[in-house]
Amino acid sequence: MLDEEGLEGLSMRRLGARLEAGATSVYWYVANKDELLDLAMDEVLAEITIPDLTGDWRADLYALVKGLRAMMFAHPWALQVYNNRPVFGPHAREYAEAQLRLLRSAGFVGDDLDGAFHMIVDYVRGSVTIDPPRPVRRPRRHSDGEQRMTLNDSTPDVVAPYPALREYREHALTHDRSLLLQRRFDFGLRVLLEGLARRLDNAKHP
């Protein structure tokens, strides 16, 4: 119910109506909307499964990070809250601890640990921002009449003069969109983790 509209734009009065309670009743449980957002965000972070360790830090980290992305896709409002507010509830701390432990077990320390941690989280947030889990709006027109379109909206004649773009479009349109987005995410995450592993190897064998 709340995912359809998001929590950021929901007033306490409207939230009370959704819950079939008055705004005053809601205040019996939370002090204000900020506290409500903190509780809601931590509740959805609890959906992320902390994987059992296999001894392969990249495989374990891959499984953990996919859980974070799945949570953000399941609750589109969560990304806005995650981006705009400090998130530090019990489940947020549990997730951060799991990711940091995996990176530390791989050998990351100090600035490299900080950089690797935030690079991974930022990659997940960026992938959800670029490919939001909501219907894509149809093309709109600029004030000068030029149509704004996506690659999927384009017709073959639009990309005909651009052979590389034409081939790329044909490849993209042969895949289910959700599958294509998942493959893109998997590719980027694996390359990112491979790059981090290579950095560790270079540090050990300069």
Side-chain angles (χ1 to χ4, degrees), residues 139-158:
R140 296 181 297 174
R141 292 186 177 276
H142 295 288
S143 57
D144 60 2
E146 178 186 355
Q147 190 176 58
R148 177 186 300 168
M149 63 175 59
T150 67
L151 183 64
N152 288 346
D153 295 320
S154 64
T155 56
D157 60 296
V158 172

Side-chain angles (χ1 to χ4, degrees), residues 6-205:
L7 291 178
E8 285 280 7
L10 201 62
S11 69
M12 293 296 281
R13 182 178 300 277
R14 295 179 66 187
L15 176 62
R18 288 286 188 92
L19 299 177
E20 298 182 355
T24 303
S25 299
V26 176
Y27 282 115
W28 290 349
Y29 303 97
V30 294
N32 49 47
K33 192 168 75 169
D34 287 343
E35 184 177 343
L36 172 65
L37 292 174
D38 292 340
L39 291 172
M41 189 67 207
D42 205 62
E43 184 69 18
V44 296
L45 282 167
E47 297 175 6
I48 302 174
T49 300
I50 306 299
D52 295 330
L53 300 183
T54 66
D56 182 339
W57 69 269
R58 283 190 291 178
D60 294 341
L61 197 53
Y62 178 84
L64 179 66
V65 170
K66 285 187 69 174
L68 177 61
R69 180 176 183 267
M71 181 278 290
M72 290 184 175
F73 266 82
H75 305 284
W77 57 266
L79 179 63
Q80 183 180 3
V81 178
Y82 202 95
N83 287 340
N84 296 337
R85 298 178 54 76
V87 179
F88 206 62
H91 294 110
R93 296 195 298 270
E94 183 179 352
Y95 175 87
E97 176 72 9
Q99 184 172 322
L100 287 168
R101 282 190 176 184
L102 284 171
L103 290 169
R104 285 171 58 89
S105 71
F108 289 96
V109 295
D111 290 342
D112 280 2
L113 176 63
D114 178 74
F117 177 83
H118 286 282
M119 179 185 295
I120 292 170
V121 173
D122 289 347
Y123 174 71
V124 177
R125 292 160 63 182
S127 73
V128 178
T129 301
I130 294 171
D131 299 312
R134 58 180 65 89
V136 178
R137 294 181 179 179
R138 300 307 302 164
R140 296 181 297 174
R141 292 186 177 276
H142 295 288
S143 57
D144 60 2
E146 178 186 355
Q147 190 176 58
R148 177 186 300 168
M149 63 175 59
T150 67
L151 183 64
N152 288 346
D153 295 320
S154 64
T155 56
D157 60 296
V158 172
V159 296
Y162 310 96
L165 183 59
R166 183 179 66 251
E167 182 179 349
Y168 173 75
R169 175 185 181 277
E170 291 171 354
H171 171 78
L173 293 181
T174 60
H175 292 78
D176 173 76
R177 176 172 170 77
S178 60
L179 177 61
L180 182 63
L181 296 182
Q182 183 63 51
R183 286 183 175 179
R184 289 174 182 171
F185 175 80
D186 290 345
F187 175 82
L189 181 57
R190 292 187 187 282
V191 170
L192 189 157
L193 294 177
E194 289 171 5
L196 289 174
R198 179 66 60 85
R199 181 177 179 84
L200 286 175
D201 290 340
N202 290 342
K204 294 176 182 178
H205 308 96

